[in-house]
Amino acid sequence: MIPLDSAPEAGASPRAHPLPSDPAVAYRTATDSPGGLRSEVVLQIQTRQAQRLVLGRAAGPDKPAIIGLVRFGMIVRRIWDSAARDDPYADAALLRILEALEQGREDVNQLQQRVQGQLDGVDGIAIGLAQTLTPVRIPLNFANPYGYMGAYLICDFDRLARTLLTARHVGMLDRDTSERMLYQGGRKVRRAFAAAQAWRHCAVTRADLLADNARARSAIEAMGTLPPDVIQGETRPRIAPDIRKPSRATSLPTAHRQNDLGQATPLPSDGSEHQAGDAGGTACDDDPEDGDDDDDPARPTG
């Protein structure tokens, strides 16, 4: 039963509640608040092919770098944060990334269905998918939905890899065909992750573009022009952050933002917080390769 306030003594005024609750509710009950939400998400990988898509590849003397889930999450975190600061280029980047992730999942699942159909087409024999007894468990700790959506794509590819390797083992596919389809599936994943790499951090806002100031011109030079509906904010990704008011972002220089699970993370100190129309610091940059990013899936949650 919810505690109720006893009748106040004669002449005593009741304590005001911080929330618009019924004054009959006890003051302590009305002032207690639940703590921040926490969630545990673990990605389970069963094939080495899928594991490589998580890790990516560093650039070598004769090999270019390949973006993996870890790097993808780091880049998308900055894009998400910039979209929350009314950066229309960040919104445009999220639109591209969302389309690439959804298309990647559709393409990988089409490959999966083709191979699974062959396994299911053997009359009188039930062929189960190969699975490992010791999957790799990777705790996921992304600050926005796109990192998790990238993990879903890798899960789809992991299942495709298991299906292809099973079909090869039971003689449904030859080695060359299975390897070619594995490459095709992995390429779909890498292409989706690479969609995040075209964005550059310019700390630009819609107000900058409307004012056509130096910051806006620098962004246009780096990333081209945007459709009017994106600049006006009429078209935004269906999964996007709420746009924060400039006064709120700039009035708390040491504030912390909260991610979707209520976990506090520090606001960046890279000069990206600025008043709309500020012409200073117009250089656009690539995503820095800092090693202490919040969106490292290998970092424990909590």
Side-chain angles (χ1 to χ4, degrees), residues 108-171:
V108 169
N109 285 324
Q110 286 180 354
L111 290 172
Q112 161 72 23
Q113 291 169 9
R114 282 174 50 190
V115 186
Q116 188 65 52
Q118 290 184 264
L119 295 178
D120 295 340
V122 181
D123 191 23
I125 299 180
I127 303 174
L129 289 186
Q131 58 184 352
T132 180
L133 298 178
T134 55
V136 174
R137 293 173 53 85
I138 304 172
L140 301 182
N141 188 27
F142 294 111
N144 63 76
Y146 285 85
Y148 294 102
M149 294 167 68
Y152 305 152
L153 177 56
I154 287 185
C155 286
D156 291 342
F157 175 80
D158 196 33
R159 184 180 60 170
L160 170 64
R162 291 169 56 212
T163 307
L164 287 169
L165 295 174
T166 300
R168 180 199 298 182
H169 180 71
V170 300

Short mmCIF file of all heavy atoms in Angstrom, two decimals, residues 108-171:
data_model
loop_
_atom_site.label_atom_id
_atom_site.label_comp_id
_atom_site.label_asym_id
_atom_site.label_seq_id
_atom_site.Cartn_x
_atom_site.Cartn_y
_atom_site.Cartn_z
N VAL A 108 21.85 -10.43 -47.00
CA VAL A 108 22.43 -11.58 -46.31
C VAL A 108 21.35 -12.65 -46.07
O VAL A 108 21.60 -13.85 -46.25
CB VAL A 108 23.09 -11.16 -44.98
CG1 VAL A 108 23.44 -12.37 -44.13
CG2 VAL A 108 24.34 -10.34 -45.26
N ASN A 109 20.15 -12.23 -45.71
CA ASN A 109 19.08 -13.20 -45.46
C ASN A 109 18.60 -13.87 -46.75
O ASN A 109 18.17 -15.02 -46.72
CB ASN A 109 17.91 -12.52 -44.75
CG ASN A 109 18.20 -12.25 -43.29
OD1 ASN A 109 18.86 -13.04 -42.62
ND2 ASN A 109 17.72 -11.13 -42.78
N GLN A 110 18.70 -13.17 -47.87
CA GLN A 110 18.37 -13.80 -49.16
C GLN A 110 19.36 -14.91 -49.48
O GLN A 110 18.96 -16.00 -49.94
CB GLN A 110 18.34 -12.76 -50.27
CG GLN A 110 17.11 -11.86 -50.25
CD GLN A 110 17.11 -10.83 -51.36
OE1 GLN A 110 18.09 -10.71 -52.12
NE2 GLN A 110 16.04 -10.07 -51.46
N LEU A 111 20.64 -14.66 -49.24
CA LEU A 111 21.65 -15.71 -49.43
C LEU A 111 21.38 -16.88 -48.49
O LEU A 111 21.48 -18.05 -48.88
CB LEU A 111 23.05 -15.14 -49.19
CG LEU A 111 23.60 -14.15 -50.22
CD1 LEU A 111 24.92 -13.55 -49.71
CD2 LEU A 111 23.83 -14.85 -51.55
N GLN A 112 21.04 -16.57 -47.26
CA GLN A 112 20.74 -17.60 -46.27
C GLN A 112 19.57 -18.49 -46.73
O GLN A 112 19.64 -19.73 -46.64
CB GLN A 112 20.42 -16.93 -44.93
CG GLN A 112 19.66 -17.80 -43.93
CD GLN A 112 20.51 -18.89 -43.34
OE1 GLN A 112 21.73 -18.78 -43.33
NE2 GLN A 112 19.87 -19.94 -42.85
N GLN A 113 18.53 -17.86 -47.23
CA GLN A 113 17.36 -18.63 -47.64
C GLN A 113 17.66 -19.53 -48.83
O GLN A 113 17.13 -20.65 -48.91
CB GLN A 113 16.21 -17.67 -47.98
CG GLN A 113 15.65 -16.94 -46.77
CD GLN A 113 14.72 -15.81 -47.14
OE1 GLN A 113 14.35 -15.65 -48.30
NE2 GLN A 113 14.34 -15.00 -46.16
N ARG A 114 18.53 -19.07 -49.72
CA ARG A 114 18.90 -19.90 -50.88
C ARG A 114 19.58 -21.18 -50.43
O ARG A 114 19.22 -22.28 -50.88
CB ARG A 114 19.84 -19.12 -51.80
CG ARG A 114 19.15 -18.11 -52.70
CD ARG A 114 20.16 -17.28 -53.45
NE ARG A 114 21.18 -18.09 -54.12
CZ ARG A 114 22.28 -17.58 -54.69
NH1 ARG A 114 22.50 -16.28 -54.62
NH2 ARG A 114 23.13 -18.38 -55.28
N VAL A 115 20.53 -21.07 -49.51
CA VAL A 115 21.27 -22.25 -49.06
C VAL A 115 20.40 -23.11 -48.16
O VAL A 115 20.41 -24.35 -48.25
CB VAL A 115 22.56 -21.83 -48.32
CG1 VAL A 115 23.39 -23.06 -47.98
CG2 VAL A 115 23.38 -20.87 -49.17
N GLN A 116 19.63 -22.47 -47.27
CA GLN A 116 18.77 -23.23 -46.37
C GLN A 116 17.75 -24.05 -47.16
O GLN A 116 17.38 -25.16 -46.76
CB GLN A 116 18.05 -22.28 -45.41
CG GLN A 116 17.28 -22.99 -44.30
CD GLN A 116 18.17 -23.75 -43.35
OE1 GLN A 116 19.14 -23.20 -42.82
NE2 GLN A 116 17.87 -25.03 -43.15
N GLY A 117 17.28 -23.50 -48.29
CA GLY A 117 16.34 -24.23 -49.13
C GLY A 117 16.92 -25.53 -49.65
O GLY A 117 16.21 -26.54 -49.77
N GLN A 118 18.22 -25.51 -49.97
CA GLN A 118 18.87 -26.73 -50.42
C GLN A 118 18.96 -27.76 -49.30
O GLN A 118 18.72 -28.96 -49.52
CB GLN A 118 20.28 -26.42 -50.95
CG GLN A 118 20.29 -25.65 -52.26
CD GLN A 118 21.71 -25.46 -52.77
OE1 GLN A 118 22.32 -24.41 -52.54
NE2 GLN A 118 22.21 -26.44 -53.48
N LEU A 119 19.28 -27.31 -48.09
CA LEU A 119 19.37 -28.24 -46.96
C LEU A 119 18.00 -28.83 -46.62
O LEU A 119 17.90 -30.00 -46.24
CB LEU A 119 19.94 -27.52 -45.74
CG LEU A 119 21.39 -27.02 -45.85
CD1 LEU A 119 21.80 -26.30 -44.58
CD2 LEU A 119 22.35 -28.18 -46.14
N ASP A 120 16.96 -28.01 -46.73
CA ASP A 120 15.62 -28.48 -46.39
C ASP A 120 15.00 -29.34 -47.49
O ASP A 120 13.98 -29.98 -47.27
CB ASP A 120 14.70 -27.29 -46.11
CG ASP A 120 15.12 -26.50 -44.88
OD1 ASP A 120 15.86 -27.05 -44.05
OD2 ASP A 120 14.71 -25.32 -44.78
N GLY A 121 15.63 -29.33 -48.67
CA GLY A 121 15.03 -30.03 -49.80
C GLY A 121 15.38 -31.50 -49.89
O GLY A 121 14.97 -32.17 -50.85
N VAL A 122 16.14 -32.02 -48.95
CA VAL A 122 16.50 -33.44 -48.96
C VAL A 122 15.41 -34.23 -48.27
O VAL A 122 15.20 -34.08 -47.06
CB VAL A 122 17.86 -33.67 -48.27
CG1 VAL A 122 18.23 -35.16 -48.33
CG2 VAL A 122 18.94 -32.83 -48.95
N ASP A 123 14.72 -35.06 -49.01
CA ASP A 123 13.61 -35.82 -48.46
C ASP A 123 14.12 -36.94 -47.57
O ASP A 123 14.98 -37.74 -47.97
CB ASP A 123 12.77 -36.41 -49.59
CG ASP A 123 11.44 -36.97 -49.10
OD1 ASP A 123 10.99 -36.54 -48.03
OD2 ASP A 123 10.88 -37.84 -49.79
N GLY A 124 13.62 -36.98 -46.35
CA GLY A 124 13.97 -38.07 -45.44
C GLY A 124 15.19 -37.83 -44.58
O GLY A 124 15.53 -38.67 -43.74
N ILE A 125 15.88 -36.70 -44.76
CA ILE A 125 17.06 -36.40 -43.95
C ILE A 125 16.91 -35.00 -43.36
O ILE A 125 16.66 -34.03 -44.09
CB ILE A 125 18.37 -36.46 -44.77
CG1 ILE A 125 18.57 -37.87 -45.34
CG2 ILE A 125 19.57 -36.06 -43.90
CD1 ILE A 125 19.82 -38.01 -46.17
N ALA A 126 17.02 -34.91 -42.06
CA ALA A 126 16.99 -33.61 -41.38
C ALA A 126 18.43 -33.18 -41.09
O ALA A 126 19.15 -33.87 -40.36
CB ALA A 126 16.19 -33.70 -40.08
N ILE A 127 18.84 -32.09 -41.70
CA ILE A 127 20.22 -31.61 -41.57
C ILE A 127 20.23 -30.41 -40.63
O ILE A 127 19.66 -29.36 -40.95
CB ILE A 127 20.82 -31.23 -42.94
CG1 ILE A 127 20.76 -32.42 -43.89
CG2 ILE A 127 22.25 -30.73 -42.77
CD1 ILE A 127 21.19 -32.09 -45.31
N GLY A 128 20.83 -30.55 -39.48
CA GLY A 128 20.94 -29.44 -38.54
C GLY A 128 22.16 -28.59 -38.82
O GLY A 128 23.18 -29.07 -39.33
N LEU A 129 22.07 -27.30 -38.50
CA LEU A 129 23.20 -26.39 -38.74
C LEU A 129 24.35 -26.71 -37.79
O LEU A 129 24.13 -27.02 -36.60
CB LEU A 129 22.78 -24.94 -38.54
CG LEU A 129 21.84 -24.33 -39.59
CD1 LEU A 129 21.65 -22.85 -39.30
CD2 LEU A 129 22.38 -24.53 -40.99
N ALA A 130 25.55 -26.63 -38.32
CA ALA A 130 26.74 -26.81 -37.48
C ALA A 130 26.79 -25.69 -36.45
O ALA A 130 26.42 -24.54 -36.73
CB ALA A 130 28.00 -26.79 -38.34
N GLN A 131 27.22 -26.01 -35.25
CA GLN A 131 27.36 -25.02 -34.21
C GLN A 131 28.54 -25.37 -33.32
O GLN A 131 28.90 -26.54 -33.19
CB GLN A 131 26.09 -24.89 -33.38
CG GLN A 131 25.64 -26.16 -32.70
CD GLN A 131 24.32 -25.98 -31.97
OE1 GLN A 131 23.80 -24.87 -31.84
NE2 GLN A 131 23.77 -27.06 -31.45
N THR A 132 29.14 -24.36 -32.74
CA THR A 132 30.29 -24.57 -31.87
C THR A 132 29.84 -24.72 -30.43
O THR A 132 28.82 -24.16 -30.02
CB THR A 132 31.29 -23.41 -31.99
OG1 THR A 132 32.39 -23.65 -31.11
CG2 THR A 132 30.65 -22.09 -31.60
N LEU A 133 30.61 -25.48 -29.66
CA LEU A 133 30.35 -25.61 -28.23
C LEU A 133 30.94 -24.46 -27.44
O LEU A 133 30.61 -24.27 -26.27
CB LEU A 133 30.91 -26.94 -27.72
CG LEU A 133 30.31 -28.21 -28.34
CD1 LEU A 133 30.99 -29.46 -27.78
CD2 LEU A 133 28.81 -28.27 -28.12
N THR A 134 31.83 -23.69 -28.07
CA THR A 134 32.49 -22.58 -27.37
C THR A 134 32.40 -21.30 -28.20
O THR A 134 33.38 -20.87 -28.80
CB THR A 134 33.96 -22.92 -27.09
OG1 THR A 134 34.60 -23.26 -28.33
CG2 THR A 134 34.08 -24.08 -26.11
N PRO A 135 31.22 -20.69 -28.29
CA PRO A 135 31.12 -19.43 -29.04
C PRO A 135 31.88 -18.31 -28.33
O PRO A 135 32.09 -18.36 -27.12
CB PRO A 135 29.61 -19.16 -29.04
CG PRO A 135 29.10 -19.84 -27.82
CD PRO A 135 29.95 -21.07 -27.66
N VAL A 136 32.28 -17.33 -29.11
CA VAL A 136 32.90 -16.13 -28.55
C VAL A 136 31.79 -15.21 -28.05
O VAL A 136 30.86 -14.90 -28.79
CB VAL A 136 33.76 -15.40 -29.61
CG1 VAL A 136 34.28 -14.08 -29.06
CG2 VAL A 136 34.92 -16.28 -30.05
N ARG A 137 31.87 -14.80 -26.80
CA ARG A 137 30.87 -13.93 -26.20
C ARG A 137 31.45 -12.52 -26.07
O ARG A 137 32.47 -12.32 -25.42
CB ARG A 137 30.44 -14.46 -24.83
CG ARG A 137 29.68 -15.78 -24.90
CD ARG A 137 29.44 -16.35 -23.51
NE ARG A 137 28.80 -15.41 -22.61
CZ ARG A 137 27.48 -15.21 -22.54
NH1 ARG A 137 26.66 -15.91 -23.31
NH2 ARG A 137 26.97 -14.34 -21.69
N ILE A 138 30.80 -11.56 -26.71
CA ILE A 138 31.28 -10.18 -26.73
C ILE A 138 30.22 -9.28 -26.09
O ILE A 138 29.14 -9.09 -26.66
CB ILE A 138 31.56 -9.71 -28.17
CG1 ILE A 138 32.55 -10.65 -28.84
CG2 ILE A 138 32.09 -8.28 -28.16
CD1 ILE A 138 32.73 -10.37 -30.32
N PRO A 139 30.48 -8.73 -24.90
CA PRO A 139 29.52 -7.79 -24.30
C PRO A 139 29.40 -6.53 -25.16
O PRO A 139 30.40 -5.98 -25.62
CB PRO A 139 30.14 -7.47 -22.93
CG PRO A 139 31.15 -8.53 -22.70
CD PRO A 139 31.65 -8.95 -24.04
N LEU A 140 28.18 -6.11 -25.41
CA LEU A 140 27.93 -4.91 -26.21
C LEU A 140 27.53 -3.76 -25.30
O LEU A 140 26.71 -3.92 -24.40
CB LEU A 140 26.81 -5.17 -27.23
CG LEU A 140 27.06 -6.30 -28.23
CD1 LEU A 140 25.88 -6.41 -29.20
CD2 LEU A 140 28.36 -6.11 -28.99
N ASN A 141 28.13 -2.61 -25.55
CA ASN A 141 27.87 -1.44 -24.71
C ASN A 141 27.81 -0.18 -25.57
O ASN A 141 28.59 0.74 -25.41
CB ASN A 141 28.96 -1.29 -23.65
CG ASN A 141 28.64 -0.21 -22.63
OD1 ASN A 141 27.50 0.09 -22.39
ND2 ASN A 141 29.67 0.36 -22.05
N PHE A 142 26.90 -0.18 -26.54
CA PHE A 142 26.76 0.96 -27.43
C PHE A 142 25.86 2.02 -26.81
O PHE A 142 24.94 1.70 -26.06
CB PHE A 142 26.18 0.52 -28.77
CG PHE A 142 27.08 -0.40 -29.56
CD1 PHE A 142 26.73 -1.72 -29.76
CD2 PHE A 142 28.27 0.06 -30.09
CE1 PHE A 142 27.55 -2.57 -30.48
CE2 PHE A 142 29.10 -0.78 -30.81
CZ PHE A 142 28.74 -2.10 -31.00
N ALA A 143 26.12 3.27 -27.16
CA ALA A 143 25.36 4.39 -26.60
C ALA A 143 24.20 4.80 -27.49
O ALA A 143 23.50 5.76 -27.17
CB ALA A 143 26.28 5.59 -26.37
N ASN A 144 23.99 4.12 -28.62
CA ASN A 144 22.86 4.44 -29.49
C ASN A 144 22.46 3.18 -30.25
O ASN A 144 23.20 2.19 -30.26
CB ASN A 144 23.23 5.58 -30.46
CG ASN A 144 24.35 5.19 -31.40
OD1 ASN A 144 24.14 4.45 -32.35
ND2 ASN A 144 25.55 5.68 -31.13
N PRO A 145 21.29 3.17 -30.89
CA PRO A 145 20.78 1.94 -31.50
C PRO A 145 21.59 1.42 -32.67
O PRO A 145 21.54 0.22 -32.97
CB PRO A 145 19.37 2.33 -31.95
CG PRO A 145 18.99 3.52 -31.12
CD PRO A 145 20.27 4.25 -30.88
N TYR A 146 22.34 2.28 -33.36
CA TYR A 146 22.98 1.85 -34.60
C TYR A 146 24.08 0.82 -34.37
O TYR A 146 24.30 -0.06 -35.21
CB TYR A 146 23.52 3.06 -35.36
CG TYR A 146 22.42 3.85 -36.03
CD1 TYR A 146 21.70 4.81 -35.34
CD2 TYR A 146 22.07 3.61 -37.35
CE1 TYR A 146 20.67 5.51 -35.95
CE2 TYR A 146 21.06 4.31 -37.98
CZ TYR A 146 20.35 5.26 -37.26
OH TYR A 146 19.33 5.95 -37.86
N GLY A 147 24.78 0.91 -33.24
CA GLY A 147 25.79 -0.09 -32.94
C GLY A 147 25.17 -1.47 -32.81
O GLY A 147 25.68 -2.47 -33.32
N TYR A 148 24.02 -1.52 -32.12
CA TYR A 148 23.33 -2.81 -31.96
C TYR A 148 22.79 -3.30 -33.30
O TYR A 148 22.80 -4.51 -33.57
CB TYR A 148 22.19 -2.66 -30.95
CG TYR A 148 22.69 -2.37 -29.56
CD1 TYR A 148 22.63 -1.07 -29.04
CD2 TYR A 148 23.24 -3.37 -28.76
CE1 TYR A 148 23.10 -0.79 -27.77
CE2 TYR A 148 23.71 -3.09 -27.49
CZ TYR A 148 23.64 -1.80 -27.00
OH TYR A 148 24.13 -1.52 -25.75
N MET A 149 22.34 -2.39 -34.14
CA MET A 149 21.85 -2.79 -35.45
C MET A 149 22.97 -3.37 -36.30
O MET A 149 22.75 -4.31 -37.09
CB MET A 149 21.20 -1.60 -36.15
CG MET A 149 19.93 -1.12 -35.45
SD MET A 149 19.36 0.49 -36.01
CE MET A 149 18.85 0.12 -37.68
N GLY A 150 24.18 -2.86 -36.12
CA GLY A 150 25.34 -3.46 -36.79
C GLY A 150 25.60 -4.87 -36.27
O GLY A 150 25.98 -5.77 -37.03
N ALA A 151 25.40 -5.07 -34.97
CA ALA A 151 25.58 -6.40 -34.39
C ALA A 151 24.54 -7.38 -34.93
O ALA A 151 24.83 -8.56 -35.15
CB ALA A 151 25.50 -6.33 -32.87
N TYR A 152 23.29 -6.91 -35.16
CA TYR A 152 22.27 -7.79 -35.73
C TYR A 152 22.71 -8.27 -37.12
O TYR A 152 22.48 -9.43 -37.49
CB TYR A 152 20.93 -7.06 -35.85
CG TYR A 152 20.41 -6.46 -34.58
CD1 TYR A 152 19.57 -5.33 -34.61
CD2 TYR A 152 20.74 -6.98 -33.33
CE1 TYR A 152 19.09 -4.77 -33.45
CE2 TYR A 152 20.26 -6.42 -32.16
CZ TYR A 152 19.45 -5.31 -32.22
OH TYR A 152 18.97 -4.74 -31.07
N LEU A 153 23.30 -7.37 -37.88
CA LEU A 153 23.76 -7.74 -39.22
C LEU A 153 24.85 -8.81 -39.13
O LEU A 153 24.86 -9.75 -39.94
CB LEU A 153 24.28 -6.49 -39.94
CG LEU A 153 24.88 -6.69 -41.34
CD1 LEU A 153 23.90 -7.38 -42.27
CD2 LEU A 153 25.32 -5.34 -41.93
N ILE A 154 25.75 -8.69 -38.18
CA ILE A 154 26.78 -9.70 -38.02
C ILE A 154 26.17 -11.03 -37.59
O ILE A 154 26.62 -12.10 -38.03
CB ILE A 154 27.85 -9.22 -37.02
CG1 ILE A 154 28.71 -8.13 -37.69
CG2 ILE A 154 28.71 -10.37 -36.53
CD1 ILE A 154 29.87 -7.66 -36.87
N CYS A 155 25.15 -11.00 -36.75
CA CYS A 155 24.46 -12.24 -36.37
C CYS A 155 23.87 -12.93 -37.59
O CYS A 155 23.94 -14.16 -37.73
CB CYS A 155 23.37 -11.95 -35.35
SG CYS A 155 23.97 -11.57 -33.70
N ASP A 156 23.27 -12.14 -38.49
CA ASP A 156 22.72 -12.72 -39.72
C ASP A 156 23.82 -13.37 -40.54
O ASP A 156 23.65 -14.47 -41.09
CB ASP A 156 22.03 -11.64 -40.54
CG ASP A 156 20.75 -11.12 -39.89
OD1 ASP A 156 20.21 -11.82 -39.01
OD2 ASP A 156 20.30 -10.02 -40.27
N PHE A 157 24.97 -12.68 -40.65
CA PHE A 157 26.07 -13.25 -41.42
C PHE A 157 26.63 -14.50 -40.74
O PHE A 157 27.01 -15.46 -41.42
CB PHE A 157 27.18 -12.21 -41.59
CG PHE A 157 28.40 -12.79 -42.27
CD1 PHE A 157 28.44 -12.95 -43.65
CD2 PHE A 157 29.49 -13.21 -41.52
CE1 PHE A 157 29.54 -13.50 -44.27
CE2 PHE A 157 30.61 -13.76 -42.13
CZ PHE A 157 30.63 -13.91 -43.52
N ASP A 158 26.69 -14.50 -39.42
CA ASP A 158 27.19 -15.66 -38.69
C ASP A 158 26.32 -16.89 -38.99
O ASP A 158 26.84 -18.00 -39.21
CB ASP A 158 27.18 -15.37 -37.20
CG ASP A 158 28.03 -16.34 -36.39
OD1 ASP A 158 29.05 -16.83 -36.91
OD2 ASP A 158 27.66 -16.63 -35.24
N ARG A 159 25.02 -16.70 -39.03
CA ARG A 159 24.12 -17.81 -39.37
C ARG A 159 24.33 -18.24 -40.82
O ARG A 159 24.32 -19.44 -41.13
CB ARG A 159 22.66 -17.40 -39.16
CG ARG A 159 21.67 -18.53 -39.40
CD ARG A 159 20.24 -18.09 -39.19
NE ARG A 159 19.87 -16.98 -40.09
CZ ARG A 159 18.63 -16.53 -40.24
NH1 ARG A 159 17.64 -17.06 -39.54
NH2 ARG A 159 18.38 -15.54 -41.06
N LEU A 160 24.52 -17.28 -41.74
CA LEU A 160 24.80 -17.62 -43.13
C LEU A 160 26.08 -18.44 -43.24
O LEU A 160 26.12 -19.45 -43.97
CB LEU A 160 24.93 -16.34 -43.97
CG LEU A 160 25.45 -16.52 -45.41
CD1 LEU A 160 24.48 -17.36 -46.23
CD2 LEU A 160 25.70 -15.16 -46.07
N ALA A 161 27.12 -18.03 -42.52
CA ALA A 161 28.38 -18.77 -42.56
C ALA A 161 28.19 -20.20 -42.06
O ALA A 161 28.71 -21.16 -42.65
CB ALA A 161 29.44 -18.05 -41.73
N ARG A 162 27.46 -20.38 -40.98
CA ARG A 162 27.19 -21.72 -40.45
C ARG A 162 26.42 -22.56 -41.47
O ARG A 162 26.69 -23.76 -41.65
CB ARG A 162 26.40 -21.63 -39.15
CG ARG A 162 27.17 -21.05 -37.97
CD ARG A 162 26.24 -20.75 -36.81
NE ARG A 162 25.49 -21.94 -36.42
CZ ARG A 162 24.26 -21.92 -35.92
NH1 ARG A 162 23.63 -20.76 -35.75
NH2 ARG A 162 23.65 -23.04 -35.58
N THR A 163 25.47 -21.93 -42.15
CA THR A 163 24.67 -22.65 -43.14
C THR A 163 25.53 -23.07 -44.33
O THR A 163 25.43 -24.21 -44.83
CB THR A 163 23.49 -21.79 -43.62
OG1 THR A 163 22.76 -21.31 -42.49
CG2 THR A 163 22.56 -22.57 -44.52
N LEU A 164 26.38 -22.17 -44.81
CA LEU A 164 27.25 -22.49 -45.94
C LEU A 164 28.25 -23.58 -45.58
O LEU A 164 28.49 -24.50 -46.38
CB LEU A 164 27.98 -21.22 -46.40
CG LEU A 164 27.14 -20.20 -47.15
CD1 LEU A 164 27.90 -18.88 -47.29
CD2 LEU A 164 26.74 -20.73 -48.53
N LEU A 165 28.84 -23.49 -44.41
CA LEU A 165 29.82 -24.51 -44.01
C LEU A 165 29.15 -25.86 -43.79
O LEU A 165 29.75 -26.92 -44.07
CB LEU A 165 30.53 -24.04 -42.74
CG LEU A 165 31.40 -22.79 -42.91
CD1 LEU A 165 31.96 -22.34 -41.56
CD2 LEU A 165 32.53 -23.04 -43.91
N THR A 166 27.91 -25.85 -43.32
CA THR A 166 27.17 -27.10 -43.18
C THR A 166 26.88 -27.70 -44.55
O THR A 166 27.06 -28.91 -44.78
CB THR A 166 25.84 -26.86 -42.43
OG1 THR A 166 26.11 -26.35 -41.13
CG2 THR A 166 25.05 -28.16 -42.30
N ALA A 167 26.41 -26.84 -45.49
CA ALA A 167 26.10 -27.32 -46.84
C ALA A 167 27.35 -27.88 -47.52
O ALA A 167 27.28 -28.88 -48.25
CB ALA A 167 25.50 -26.18 -47.66
N ARG A 168 28.48 -27.27 -47.28
CA ARG A 168 29.73 -27.79 -47.85
C ARG A 168 30.08 -29.14 -47.23
O ARG A 168 30.48 -30.08 -47.94
CB ARG A 168 30.88 -26.80 -47.62
CG ARG A 168 32.21 -27.29 -48.17
CD ARG A 168 33.39 -26.55 -47.56
NE ARG A 168 33.38 -25.12 -47.84
CZ ARG A 168 34.34 -24.28 -47.45
NH1 ARG A 168 35.37 -24.74 -46.71
NH2 ARG A 168 34.27 -23.01 -47.73
N HIS A 169 29.91 -29.26 -45.93
CA HIS A 169 30.28 -30.48 -45.22
C HIS A 169 29.45 -31.68 -45.68
O HIS A 169 29.96 -32.81 -45.77
CB HIS A 169 30.11 -30.28 -43.72
CG HIS A 169 30.45 -31.48 -42.90
ND1 HIS A 169 31.75 -31.93 -42.72
CD2 HIS A 169 29.65 -32.35 -42.20
CE1 HIS A 169 31.76 -33.00 -41.95
NE2 HIS A 169 30.49 -33.28 -41.63
N VAL A 170 28.16 -31.44 -45.97
CA VAL A 170 27.30 -32.56 -46.35
C VAL A 170 27.21 -32.74 -47.86
O VAL A 170 26.40 -33.53 -48.36
CB VAL A 170 25.88 -32.39 -45.77
CG1 VAL A 170 25.94 -32.34 -44.25
CG2 VAL A 170 25.19 -31.15 -46.33
N GLY A 171 28.04 -32.01 -48.62
CA GLY A 171 28.11 -32.21 -50.05
C GLY A 171 27.07 -31.48 -50.87
O GLY A 171 26.88 -31.78 -52.06
#
